[in-house]
Amino acid sequence: MTRTALVCGAGGFIGGHLVARLKQEGFWVRGVDIKFHEHAETVADDFVIGDLREQAFCRSVIDRRFDEVYQLAADMGGAGYIFTGEHDADIMQNSAAINLNVLEACHKRTIRKVFYSSSACIYPAYNQQDPLNPKCSEESAYPAAPDSEYGWEKLFSERLYLAYRRNYGMTTHVARYHNIFGPAGTWTGGKEKAPAAVCRKVALAKSGDAIDIWGDGEQTRSFLYIDECLEGTTRLLRSEFAGPVNIGSEEMVTINQLVDLVADIAGKRIRKHHIAGPTGVRGRNSDNRLVRERLGWAPSMALSSGLERTYGWIEAQTRRNAA
Ligand code: NAD
């Protein structure tokens, strides 16, 4: 029997890559999104365009007992979208509505295995003030104090998915992604994340130019390449472990170091012009002790390898745009 999967948010960055991976594994895949993928043709067997905030639409696409459901659809973006405060109501309303509807429709169809993508943005701001020693172990999520409404919605939805597990016997699984990056993601327009924004700025700069960096660039983060994110995602869904669990890299860098890495890959001398802008917490890094213990696996790829692949793709996009 062919295994079946549903990917909600299949027109997005992670969802698009996940559809391709599941196809490679031999699944029959339905993708759902409010839009088509902007950077790649979908390889899904069925791709349905519609709004997952609508209950009736959710029921219509969740019309069978899929073996695996991945809920990745969300109203989200990089710091320029989630930390300015201007989109808070939309982010909370849209993503919560999607999560409530998708999960309930899965329950009605007696689907068991459902994956939910939460975020490192749920971790309390008070544990992430020292850029060199952020604390992001899973149990440190409480007492809760995320620094964005995006994080609060994720925290609510984590609890929702785990409540359906407790009360309805579904095997929901929750991952907390830490800054996923790679080719075929948003790289311009205001919703792009730091690695994509830095790659674009470096690609458009001439050697010796300065590029704008939000804040002093000493804020720390880790970044996980898309292939390793998918490995962790599928391993988690197929395990006995509910989570929440970090899926991220432990290779922490400052944003200034990220710029230097990309400049090296591009072979350009890049100066940094630090300007005011939304920067989020001062430090953040994945803590992979739990994922190692429970899944016997953790990401291992060097940041520079993922950046090489991502820079190549973004540089090609900037050339195509200019032509
Ligand atoms: P993305 O924005 O590329 O993908 C999300 C998709 O959801 C988009 O294609 C969007 O059109 C779709 N969507 C939004 N509203 C919808 C609606 N009403 N109906 C149907 N589709 C709708 O984001 P991504 O980077 O692929 O992230 C996927 C998931 O992982 C999200 O839940 C995100 O919050 C989570 N996450 C991502 C990261 C990261 O670094 N990329 C980090 C932490 C958590």
Side-chain angles (χ1 to χ4, degrees):
M1 280 268 286
T2 307
R3 289 171 298 165
T4 57
L6 175 73
V7 178
C8 302
F13 165 53
I14 301 173
H17 284 280
L18 180 60
V19 168
R21 180 180 167 124
L22 292 169
K23 281 306 299 169
Q24 275 170 8
E25 290 184 11
F27 277 79
W28 183 92
V29 182
R30 172 174 291 160
V32 183
D33 204 294
I34 204 161
K35 62 166 178 66
F36 283 111
H37 201 290
E38 282 147 45
H39 307 296
E41 278 296 319
T42 184
V43 292
D45 297 279
D46 185 27
F47 194 97
V48 190
I49 294 288
D51 191 339
L52 291 164
R53 290 170 301 183
E54 291 171 13
Q55 238 177 46
F57 175 71
C58 283
R59 294 223 185 110
S60 74
V61 288
I62 302 175
D63 61 353
R64 67 196 70 187
R65 209 170 173 188
F66 289 98
D67 295 307
E68 298 185 356
V69 172
Y70 296 87
Q71 196 327 68
L72 304 170
D75 188 0
M76 62 101 62
Y81 187 71
I82 61 177
F83 294 131
T84 60
E86 289 161 36
H87 310 284
D88 287 350
D90 283 348
I91 288 171
M92 297 184 91
Q93 161 71 27
N94 294 338
S95 296
I98 294 169
N99 284 317
L100 287 160
N101 289 339
V102 169
L103 190 54
E104 179 61 14
C106 287
H107 169 51
K108 290 260 155 59
R109 291 276 171 205
T110 58
I111 290 171
R112 305 204 75 77
K113 284 186 161 302
V114 184
F115 171 89
Y116 174 60
S117 52
S118 181
S119 165
C121 289
I122 63 97
Y123 286 112
Y126 58 77
N127 278 336
Q128 301 174 87
Q129 285 164 356
D130 176 354
L132 298 180
N133 284 302
K135 183 172 179 186
C136 293
S137 48
E138 285 80 354
E139 85 295 340
S140 72
Y142 297 96
D147 70 328
S148 66
E149 303 300 0
Y150 169 78
W152 279 105
E153 189 283 326
K154 287 288 186 196
L155 207 52
F156 161 75
S157 291
E158 282 191 357
R159 301 189 69 95
L160 179 72
Y161 278 72
L162 295 176
Y164 269 62
R165 184 182 183 102
R166 283 196 308 278
N167 295 164
Y168 298 138
M170 293 172 80
T171 52
T172 51
H173 302 261
V174 176
R176 293 176 181 157
Y177 288 160
H178 289 241
N179 295 315
I180 315 303
F181 76 102
T186 306
W187 61 279
T188 188
K191 281 193 165 187
E192 65 278 16
K193 313 264 181 50
V198 170
C199 287
R200 185 196 68 234
K201 289 176 186 183
V202 171
L204 292 172
K206 293 191 293 295
S207 197
D209 280 358
I211 63 169
D212 287 345
I213 306 293
W214 287 339
D216 65 3
E218 291 303 310
Q219 61 273 31
T220 53
R221 294 291 185 277
S222 71
F223 302 95
L224 183 71
Y225 191 66
I226 181 69
D227 290 0
E228 297 206 292
C229 167
L230 300 183
E231 186 63 33
T233 298
T234 51
R235 278 178 186 258
L236 178 61
L237 182 71
R238 294 164 194 170
S239 78
E240 301 294 311
F241 185 40
V245 65
N246 291 327
I247 294 189
S249 163
E250 286 180 326
E251 185 181 345
M252 188 172 79
V253 292
T254 66
I255 299 300
N256 288 331
Q257 288 170 332
L258 178 72
V259 174
D260 292 342
L261 276 170
V262 176
D264 277 353
I265 290 165
K268 296 180 184 179
R269 195 171 58 79
I270 297 291
R271 291 178 298 114
K272 303 170 196 90
H273 181 224
H274 295 111
I275 59 167
T279 54
V281 293
R282 196 67 186 140
R284 177 172 292 157
N285 193 13
S286 188
D287 180 329
N288 290 347
R289 285 173 294 180
L290 188 65
V291 79
R292 246 184 234 111
E293 181 193 315
R294 298 304 300 266
L295 298 187
W297 169 90
S300 57
M301 186 171 165
L303 173 60
S304 56
S305 309
L307 282 176
E308 269 171 33
R309 301 181 201 181
T310 309
Y311 181 77
W313 183 80
I314 291 180
E315 203 250 349
Q317 305 307 304
T318 59
R319 272 190 278 118
R320 186 185 304 169
N321 257 25

